[in-house]
Amino acid sequence: MRRRQIAMLAGCTMALMALGGQTANAVDTIVTFTVTSGALTVTAPPGPVSLGSATAGNTVSGPLGTVTVTDARGGTPTSDWVARVSSTSFVGPADTIPSANATYTPQSGTVVVGNGTLAAGTAGTLAAQRISMSYTGGTGNSQATWSPVLTVAIPLMAGLGTYTGTVTHSVS
């Protein structure tokens, strides 16, 4: 029995020596890739977003959801950008509420990626396109988010029913 153990030990030792004695063969592969300039984009919830309901002569108000600007241009030609917002009128079954009755409040934003300064535009009506958010002084790519609130003043003469309009965010 002892002989058998000694023989097995000797065989294992010889096998290990044989494996350890082989020279390793390795080869390196150099890998390259190029990072290219991307686009300046804005995303917002597609909706429909419901602001709730109110009686004529009052207001409805609610969050539009998260708006995101992504600047993957790599700082070319610049890292600065300005996001704007506009709105159509709100059309109901028998009446139209003008976009001037809609007030956009951008709230504060968050820089997700980047080293620049993010500044919210001032709250105001959507009678004309207005600045919702701007980003300045950064280098390289950036991404920022904010969650605006929309308030619509419902005229006293507005007819009953559901009103629909389109809020558009753009960036340049």
Side-chain angles (χ1 to χ4, degrees), residues 79-81 109-111 113-120 133-139 142 144:
S79 292
D80 296 350
W81 51 258
T110 301
V111 175
V113 173
N115 59 357
T117 302
L118 189 64
M133 197 67 62
S134 62
Y135 179 83
T136 57
T139 56
S142 66

Side-chain angles (χ1 to χ4, degrees), residues 116-165:
T117 302
L118 189 64
T122 57
T125 74
L126 294 177
Q129 186 181 64
R130 64 183 311 104
I131 293 174
S132 56
M133 197 67 62
S134 62
Y135 179 83
T136 57
T139 56
N141 296 331
S142 66
Q143 185 176 63
T145 62
W146 65 98
S147 297
V149 172
L150 188 69
T151 302
V152 179
I154 303 168
L156 187 56
M157 75 269 191
L160 302 178
T162 300
Y163 287 75
T164 302

